[in-house]
Amino acid sequence: MNYPAWSFFPRNARPPAWAVALVEVVSSARTVIDTEPLRPTDDDRLTSDYVLSVLRPGMEDLGYVVESGKLATQRIRRPVLFGDNGRAEVSYEIDAFHDELGIAVEVEAGRGAMGNADYRDIIRMSLLLDAEYMVLMTPSTYRYGSTSTSAFARTRDQLSAIYASDRLRLPFSGVLLIGY
């Protein structure tokens, strides 16, 4: 199987060049972030912050603004609603954004696999102004204790159901899911 696993939605659209380029950035980091096979000593280091820090240089080369730390000045905030005097009244933090192409990016790790962060990410990114595309990165496999879950497959199935149904329409031209 090729690394990383990825899917582009809707299924009847050709993945754009930017999607293939971003997948290449993840592919080039395989030796550091690959969750298949995950070594027991890797459980603590493969946080979403760690994975994002590994991907940051390649993403910045592609034109993304990427979160670089937890200080307010290092985070990426995108507006959702504006209030009086045109000031952003509601905004959400995301991991990266490509201003020119309107690509919002979230990287998830354990919490994403275990706590349904993918649901939250889909809704919150749907509300961002200027977000034309959504990228969600999840572990291919997340291990906890003696069990494991396929975070990528679960999120892929969820997005497949959303795009196959007429009940919920996402406001994106496309969604890229990457399993690292």
Side-chain angles (χ1 to χ4, degrees):
M1 184 171 157
N2 292 333
Y3 181 88
W6 62 281
S7 290
F8 187 80
F9 298 89
R11 296 290 199 184
N12 64 346
R14 178 176 287 116
W18 67 259
V20 176
L22 187 55
V23 167
E24 284 299 316
V25 168
V26 176
S27 179
S28 69
R30 181 178 190 170
T31 59
V32 184
I33 65 170
D34 190 356
T35 58
E36 277 298 323
L38 185 66
R39 297 161 301 278
T41 58
D42 290 343
D43 287 333
D44 292 332
R45 79 171 173 86
L46 284 178
T47 64
S48 59
D49 289 339
Y50 176 78
V51 172
L52 187 61
S53 73
V54 170
L55 300 176
R56 183 180 311 113
M59 291 178 69
E60 288 176 341
D61 287 347
L62 294 176
Y64 291 85
V65 176
V66 183
E67 177 184 285
S68 60
K70 293 303 177 188
L71 297 176
T73 57
Q74 298 171 315
R75 294 180 178 206
I76 309 300
R77 294 189 65 79
R78 298 299 301 184
V80 174
L81 294 175
F82 291 91
D84 294 340
N85 301 319
R87 193 181 84 245
E89 196 169 85
V90 177
S91 59
Y92 293 143
E93 290 181 0
I94 59 173
D95 291 326
F97 196 80
H98 194 294
D99 282 308
E100 184 180 328
L101 300 174
I103 306 167
V105 180
E106 275 292 326
V107 177
E108 296 297 345
R111 184 179 57 84
M114 296 302 300
N116 294 322
D118 50 353
Y119 289 101
R120 185 207 65 203
D121 291 340
I122 291 168
I123 298 302
R124 290 182 77 161
M125 283 196 281
S126 292
L127 299 175
L128 297 177
L129 296 178
D130 304 320
E132 185 71 22
Y133 296 95
M134 177 179 91
V135 175
L136 186 55
M137 297 185 200
T138 66
S140 291
T141 301
Y142 177 70
R143 289 179 178 73
Y144 51 99
S146 61
T147 60
S148 65
T149 185
S150 178
F152 171 80
R154 195 189 88 227
T155 303
R156 182 198 57 221
D157 293 348
Q158 174 185 318
L159 286 167
S160 292
I162 289 170
Y163 274 93
S165 171
D166 287 331
R167 305 275 301 169
L168 176 64
R169 292 181 190 253
L170 298 180
F172 303 110
S173 295
V175 173
L176 175 62
L177 174 65
I178 302 174
Y180 60 88

